[in-house]
């Protein structure tokens, strides 16, 4: 939560505490006291809350549901993508040429489309398009450019859906504070209508206000933690993508050097 949210929340909570202190002092001074509501459970507070406060609570509960849904879906997606990438890296490790690497992946992993398969396909396509060029110096640079776009697209896909966590983590406390302000305002309205400052009049509104704040924190804290966790996981996945691109580029470089050696041998034989 930001410093501004903590400051505003602290002021609101101090206002609620001051209001309760006034009510306690009024009762101690001899004002007639009515009995407090018997049931101040969370469900009862929600059922008896103002429509605005109820809408805030429902919205925050839905935000919390979205947070945990994103956590489950993205965790499974990231774990599966990482496992596929590691399997592809293991398949091409130690291969001597790009063709051998493609055959190894086809044998060990199958025809499933993956990032490493896309890298190999992009390298093979660039080699095919550049086959008629006399100068071979720029081939690796063009292949590296293709690899950079593939890596960026894969990382962007892994990060899709995590932005909502940042939104929930930054806005849910303020939404909860809005419910708190509304509940305390209703408490003052109740005091004005009842012409008394007993706890029976003030307590329900303050309880609803504090419940809205609690639900806002319940939605925001996990969202921030999960967002930071995904940021670390996606950073590790980017590192694996870089390793895969470097491995395929080494295979391309080896093929180009091998082809240059063969061409030089043919030229010497022709002489």
């Amino acid at each position: 939560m930001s410093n501004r949210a903590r400051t505003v929340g602290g002021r609101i909570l101090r206002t609620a505490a001051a209001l309760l202190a006034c009510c306690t002092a009024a009762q101690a001074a001899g004002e007639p006291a009515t009995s407090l509501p018997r049931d101040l459970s969370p469900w009862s507070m929600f059922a008896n809350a103002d429509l605005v406060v109820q809408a805030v609570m429902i919205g925050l509960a839905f935000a919390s549901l979205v947070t945990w849904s994103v956590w489950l879906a993205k965790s499974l997606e990231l774990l599966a993508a990482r496992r596929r990438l590691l399997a592809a890296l293991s398949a091409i490790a130690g291969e001597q040429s790009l063709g051998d690497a493609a055959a190894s992946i086809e044998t060990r992993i199958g025809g499933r489309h993956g990032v490493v398969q896309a890298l190999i396909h992009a390298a093979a396509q660039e080699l095919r398009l550049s086959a008629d060029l006399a100068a071979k110096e720029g081939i690796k640079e063009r292949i590296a450019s293709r690899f950079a776009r593939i890596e960026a697209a894969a990382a962007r896909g892994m990060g899709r859906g995590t932005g909502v966590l940042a939104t929930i983590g930054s806005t849910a406390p303020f939404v909860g504070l809005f419910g708190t302000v509304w509940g305390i305002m209703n408490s003052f309205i109740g005091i004005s209508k009842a012409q008394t400052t007993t706890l029976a009049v003030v307590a329900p509104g303050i309880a609803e206000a504090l419940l809205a704040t609690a639900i806002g924190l319940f939605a925001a804290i996990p969202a921030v933690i999960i967002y930071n966790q995904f940021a670390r996981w996606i950073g590790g996945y980017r590192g694996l993508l870089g390793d895969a691109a470097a491995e395929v580029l080494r295979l391309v470089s080896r093929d180009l050097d091998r082809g240059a050696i063969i061409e030089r041998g043919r030229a010497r034989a022709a002489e």
Side-chain angles (χ1 to χ4, degrees), residues 6-209:
R6 286 195 292 268
T7 301
V8 175
R11 289 177 180 174
I12 293 173
L13 292 179
R14 284 195 296 270
T15 302
L19 187 58
L20 287 174
C22 290
C23 295
T24 304
Q27 285 189 356
E31 284 194 14
T34 56
S35 60
L36 289 172
R38 293 184 179 181
D39 187 8
L40 282 179
S41 64
W43 175 252
S44 175
M45 286 187 287
F46 170 77
N48 296 320
D50 184 85
L51 288 178
V52 174
V53 180
Q54 285 183 343
V56 168
M57 293 180 182
I58 292 173
L60 291 172
F62 179 74
S64 179
L65 178 63
V66 170
T67 296
W68 291 107
S69 299
V70 171
W71 171 79
L72 179 61
K74 295 303 293 185
S75 295
L76 295 176
E77 182 182 358
L78 277 167
L79 290 174
R82 179 183 174 85
R83 185 166 56 249
R84 288 194 301 268
L85 188 54
L86 288 173
L89 278 172
S90 176
I92 66 175
E95 298 297 336
Q96 295 184 350
S97 67
L98 196 64
D100 293 341
S104 177
I105 287 183
E106 183 69 24
T107 301
R108 297 178 58 177
I109 299 179
R112 292 176 298 174
H113 180 71
V115 178
V116 177
Q117 291 92 323
L119 293 172
I120 293 176
H121 175 73
Q125 184 179 21
E126 183 59 41
L127 288 173
R128 185 174 62 254
L129 293 174
S130 304
D132 58 341
L133 298 179
K136 305 295 185 182
E137 292 79 9
I139 293 179
K140 286 190 288 185
E141 287 76 8
R142 289 191 292 273
I143 290 176
S145 176
R146 288 174 178 263
F147 285 1
R149 304 318 307 156
I150 293 174
E151 291 178 56
R156 201 162 48 243
M158 285 297 105
R160 189 178 297 114
T162 59
V164 67
L165 299 176
T167 301
I168 292 173
S170 60
T171 59
F174 291 100
V175 176
L177 288 177
F178 171 74
T180 301
V181 171
W182 197 270
I184 293 177
M185 185 179 68
N186 284 338
S187 297
F188 280 108
I189 294 173
I191 291 173
S192 176
K193 290 181 178 180
Q195 297 296 316
T196 180
T197 56
T198 59
L199 287 175
V201 174
V202 177
I206 294 180
E208 297 163 8

